[in-house]
Amino acid sequence: MSQEEIFKALMSVFSEIIPEVDVSAATPQDSLRDLGANSIDRADIITETMEAAGVSLPMVKFADAQSIGDIVRIIDEARS
């Protein structure tokens, strides 16, 4: 799974959890918070994206993630 595929999976999960938000224009520079995800939504989105990527990490690994791209990179690095 490439970073682009992880990004697409994350956006798909986001759309399932928060269907009222159009993520079609979302970029890796955006943050989940800026797109309207609260803290519980963010944890669910990250957890489900990790499952899709076949990765298991403690949520603390994402504490410093400022953008969707940071989340994608952390998940991608865990796969290596």
Side-chain angles (χ1 to χ4, degrees):
M1 185 174 251
S2 68
Q3 285 195 14
E4 182 177 334
E5 291 169 324
I6 296 169
F7 176 79
K8 288 179 182 177
L10 191 145
M11 291 293 94
S12 176
V13 170
F14 187 104
S15 293
E16 290 173 15
I17 292 174
I18 310 175
E20 63 274 11
V21 175
D22 179 15
V23 295
S24 62
T27 69
Q29 292 75 34
D30 293 325
S31 74
L32 294 177
R33 179 177 294 156
D34 291 343
L35 293 176
N38 65 35
S39 59
I40 295 170
D41 293 336
R42 292 192 302 270
D44 289 345
I45 291 164
I46 291 170
T47 300
E48 289 189 32
T49 303
M50 284 193 296
E51 288 175 10
V55 171
S56 180
L57 293 167
M59 290 304 288
V60 71
K61 293 281 190 182
F62 299 93
D64 293 330
Q66 297 296 311
S67 67
I68 294 169
D70 291 341
I71 296 167
V72 168
R73 180 186 47 75
I74 293 165
I75 293 172
D76 184 51
E77 288 173 359
R79 296 179 56 255
S80 302

